[in-house]
Each structure stands twice: as structure tokens, then as C-alpha cells.
Amino acid sequence: MNIILLGPPGAGKGTQAKILEEKHGLKQLSTGDMLRAAIAAGTDVGKKAKAIMDRGDLVSDDVIIGIVSERMDKPDITAGVTFDGFPRTPAQAEALDKMLAGRKQKLDAVIEMKVDDEALVERISGRYTCAKCGQGYHEKFAPAKTPGVCDVCGGTEFTRRPDDNEKTVRDRLQVYNKQTAPLVAYYAAKGNLHVIDGMADITRVTGAIGSVLEKVKG
Ligand code: AMP
């Protein structure tokens, strides 16, 4: 089963994609994570992407389509994929259609996570991550139980994404509204769009996604 989680930055796509991977074995394919890994590894793609990401713009369609296509051919993708942060432009959506058709696969559902722009700024600006194990936290909504100590691994160093500051978050939201929001109409016209409330708490959102998956399984 292949699904897209569609929604602006901070909508909770990554959180839900990780849950779907644990519960249903659908691999999380996050283009943002792949680009951050490329930056950390110092690859050519990473070097080109860094400045673009830091200012909140989109990396070129060609680069993104290339890394997704390569990832889709890895043998660990057996039960399917949750696309997280991809596609972000109509050209990427069309490329995904072709990629899936070429692999005799289909898109089972596109789940739009509806959220409020102002709430997103608060959600994203408070995010931080354990530098050792990658566990995600939020200053206000999900802080570490003991301040400064990771609940999971006991690590004491935390990182923040350079693009998780208020100015860049607002720019990323504008980019989303202009370049990615048109995909809602694209998938609605194809008949596989499902809209859920992304403002609900994590468990409720997981439940809503589960209901969509049940429905499309038939
Ligand atoms: P994310 O982690 O999904 O919020 O992505 C972080 C940044 O990576 C974005 O602001 C873009 O600069 C870049 N990026 C991630 N996915 C894509 C994509 N599908 N198309 C273009 N740029 C992307």
C-alpha cells in the first residue's frame, strides 16, 4: 500500500509516518530526512540543497525525483511506502504517478492533514531532537520529562533544525500554500483524496488515518 501524507510543515506528517511504519510496515519516505542525511554526509546533493533548505525554498524537482526514484528501488520496500514531504509540486506528483506505474504499483490514498497556520508556527518553533537517538520533543507540547535529559536514551545534547525558526517557518508556509497546496485539487480530481483534522491530538490523528486505510483496503 502506498500513501501520501499531504500537509504543511509541522502538520505531523513525520510523526504519523513513523507510527505507520511501526504499525503497518509502510516505509517512511521523507525527502526532508533524505536531504538532511545528504547534508550530513557532505554529498553533492547535500551541498546544493543546504542553502535552499536553510531559507525555506524548495530543492529542484529533478534532484528530488532522482532521490525518490532511487529509494523506491531499495529492497526493504515490501509492504509499501508513506510519502512524507513528497510530492511538493505538480511536476513531482506527475513524476510519482509515472514511477508507480512503471513499477506496477498504485497510490492507495492521499491524506490531507488540515491545520491552522498560526498553530503551525508555534508547533515548529518549539521542536527539538535528541542528538544521540533522534527522539523528537516540543518545548510546550511534549517536553523531555527531566529537563535536559532524553527520556529514551538519557542523552543530554539536543539539536534544532536550522529551518525551524519563526521567519523560515513563515516562508515555508508561504511556499507550501503557493507550490504544494494545488496538489489537493490534483488528487481530488483523481478521486483518492481524504481530508482529516491534523489539529487533533496524535492518537486521534492516528485513528483517523487508520480509518482511511481500512476504507481503501476495501
Ligand atoms: P521537510 O523536512 O519535509 O520539512 O523538508 C525540509 C526542506 O527540505 C524543505 O523546506 C525543502 O527545502 C526541502 N524539501 C524536502 N522535501 C522536498 C520536496 N519534495 N521538494 C522540494 N524540496 C523539498
Side-chain angles (χ1 to χ4, degrees):
M1 176 176 280
N2 295 304
I3 69 167
I4 294 174
L5 294 182
L6 188 62
K13 303 184 299 291
T15 302
Q16 295 298 332
K18 285 188 179 65
I19 296 173
L20 286 169
E21 185 160 320
E22 276 163 29
K23 278 177 78 165
H24 303 280
L26 301 180
K27 280 280 164 204
Q28 175 188 13
L29 195 159
S30 157
T31 40
D33 284 352
M34 290 160 80
L35 292 169
R36 281 182 287 278
I39 292 174
T43 66
D44 284 348
V45 166
K47 281 182 197 138
K48 276 189 215 144
K50 170 106 177 74
I52 301 171
M53 291 170 74
D54 283 352
R55 60 172 191 266
D57 282 340
L58 294 187
V59 173
S60 78
D61 287 334
D62 286 354
V63 167
I64 296 290
I65 292 162
I67 61 175
V68 171
S69 176
E70 221 174 85
R71 180 71 188 90
M72 292 287 285
D73 287 333
K74 294 267 153 63
D76 61 326
I77 294 181
T78 46
V81 171
T82 300
F83 295 99
D84 159 10
F86 173 87
R88 259 174 154 104
T89 62
Q92 292 180 19
E94 283 160 23
L96 177 61
D97 288 344
K98 288 202 191 109
M99 255 184 246
L100 291 173
R103 290 167 176 79
K104 306 248 179 308
Q105 292 185 36
K106 66 179 172 68
L107 196 55
D108 296 277
V110 178
I111 303 177
E112 185 196 2
M113 302 172 72
K114 277 249 180 233
V115 277
D116 165 81
D117 274 11
E118 276 314 304
L120 289 180
V121 174
E122 194 182 23
R123 271 194 191 181
I124 302 182
S125 316
R127 299 200 292 206
Y128 63 101
T129 305
C130 171
K132 202 168 148 200
C133 74
Q135 175 65 27
Y137 294 96
H138 191 281
E139 281 164 2
K140 186 165 162 194
F141 306 120
K145 289 197 185 84
T146 307
V149 182
C150 175
D151 299 352
V152 176
C153 74
T156 52
E157 277 187 39
F158 295 88
T159 57
R160 282 175 191 269
R161 281 171 47 172
D163 57 347
D164 275 356
N165 61 78
E166 181 169 346
K167 156 90 178 65
T168 311
V169 170
R170 290 198 188 277
D171 291 344
R172 284 158 68 199
L173 285 173
Q174 262 192 4
V175 167
Y176 178 84
N177 289 328
K178 206 164 143 201
Q179 305 202 51
T180 310
L183 298 186
V184 170
Y186 178 84
Y187 289 117
K190 284 178 176 284
N192 48 8
L193 183 74
H194 305 261
V195 183
I196 64 165
D197 174 16
M199 297 304 294
D201 65 40
I202 292 176
T203 325
R204 275 178 195 274
V205 175
T206 304
I209 293 174
S211 305
V212 171
L213 299 192
E214 280 306 311
K215 201 157 54 174
V216 298
K217 252 195 246 161

